[in-house]
Amino acid sequence: MAVNEAERRAMTRALELASLGPRGANPQVGAVILSADGEVLAEGWHHGAGTPHAEVDALSKLAPGAARGATAVVTLEPCNHTGRTGPCAVALIEAGVARVVYALDDPGAISGGGADRLRAAGVSVEAGEQAESAHRVIDGWLTAQRLGRPHVTVKWAQSLDGRAAASDGSSQWITGPEARADVHRRRADADAIVVGTGTLLADDPALTARDGNELYPAQPVPVVIGTRAIPDDAAIRRHPHAPLAYETHDVHAVLADLHMRGVQSVFVEGGPTLASAFLAEGLADRVLAYIAPVLLGGGRLALTDIGVPSIDAARRLTIDRWLPLGADLLAIAHPVSSEEPVTSQEEGTH
């Protein structure tokens, strides 16, 4: 049975509801309960670890029996395990829901499998509706579940001829105000922002996310990688969050520690050396290349060695979108292939 228009509208609304929930160990999930004729009966979302999941939150707003024969539209496959809360698949079955439409499969080795449980109980299930939009909402959580590390976005700005700076090292500003505003919006969506000590010492960035002259309510934790110390008078010292400093060049170790701290998404914009290190290690889940219509020449390349000895070993990307930003152009891309998922999971995270 194909997804109908009422269910599509409900999924769009469920995605809006999902974004109301906090980022953390649990995914942001939204749910809408529809009557048999497509009317909205209830809405819900996950309010944080230990609270009812989105489906149960929505069901709790209905009188007993009111969901019988209804359709539940959910952004993530209903869970199938008991942690701090019970299985959402069972809650839907017991409520008498006749149909479930969801966007993304739950990748959890323990929490997944809700769709099969629903089908076994005679519930009609449809998967994949607006999956791409749902993925964007919880890409950090999905990467943490599948790979055991934060989701990594690598960003750089470059001239049309692939330079990050002029021959004298000056780089402010290659791109225009629209592109810079876009960067700040994307910073605000990340849990952490990462630079190397080279960029820190050369540019003294604040590493805040700003809307004009005002700080966004959500600020990424500033992270500095490298063996040189952060100066006492550095602008980063005035950031709302205390900076995390890693005296290492091992980006795997940095991501592992950030993962242990609950960081699910990082925004890497630390210059050519750091960007290239993440790319060389295959740790970029998303690439943002801001391209300005200027020519700089010289040797200040936007990327350095990323471990590509021949064209056969090129790091292939899929372009998700070309986004005009004033006079500049943003290429949003992801690697063609990704790492294998991790095989172990902690019980009760969803």
Side-chain angles (χ1 to χ4, degrees), residues 251-271:
V251 290
H252 287 277
V254 172
L255 290 181
D257 186 73
L258 290 174
H259 176 65
M260 293 295 294
R261 293 173 182 267
V263 171
Q264 293 188 1
S265 59
V266 301
F267 194 78
V268 179
E269 57 169 311

Side-chain angles (χ1 to χ4, degrees), residues 55 76-81 87-90 92-93 100 102 105-106 108 110-121 123 125:
E55 303 94 316
L76 184 66
E77 177 186 11
C79 68
N80 190 37
H81 81 291
C88 293
V90 172
L92 293 169
I93 293 166
V100 172
Y102 70 88
D105 291 331
D106 189 325
I110 297 171
S111 57
D116 290 339
R117 190 166 190 170
L118 289 163
R119 291 188 182 101
V123 178
V125 178

Side-chain angles (χ1 to χ4, degrees), residues 239-319:
H239 194 283
H241 299 296
L244 297 175
Y246 294 91
E247 295 184 0
T248 179
H249 296 294
D250 185 346
V251 290
H252 287 277
V254 172
L255 290 181
D257 186 73
L258 290 174
H259 176 65
M260 293 295 294
R261 293 173 182 267
V263 171
Q264 293 188 1
S265 59
V266 301
F267 194 78
V268 179
E269 57 169 311
T273 300
L274 192 63
S276 299
F278 277 91
L279 290 166
E281 294 298 321
L283 294 173
D285 301 297
R286 181 184 295 123
V287 167
L288 303 176
Y290 293 83
I291 305 167
V294 297
L295 301 174
L296 294 176
R300 304 272 185 165
L301 297 175
L303 293 177
T304 60
D305 183 12
I306 59 171
V308 178
S310 66
I311 193 65
D312 293 338
R315 305 297 177 96
R316 304 286 178 182
L317 302 174
T318 295
I319 299 294

Side-chain angles (χ1 to χ4, degrees), residues 42-62:
E43 299 178 341
W45 68 92
H46 185 49
H47 294 258
T51 66
H53 293 176
E55 303 94 316
V56 176
D57 185 44
L59 290 172
S60 71
K61 298 169 184 175
L62 296 174

Side-chain angles (χ1 to χ4, degrees), residues 15 21 51 68 74 76 91 117 131 136 140 158 168 187 189 195 197 250 271 273 285 303 348:
L15 290 167
T51 66
R68 189 160 302 279
V74 194
L76 184 66
R117 190 166 190 170
R136 285 196 294 269
Q158 66 171 67
D168 65 355
R187 283 182 179 182
D189 288 335
V195 299
T197 51
D250 185 346
T273 300
D285 301 297
L303 293 177

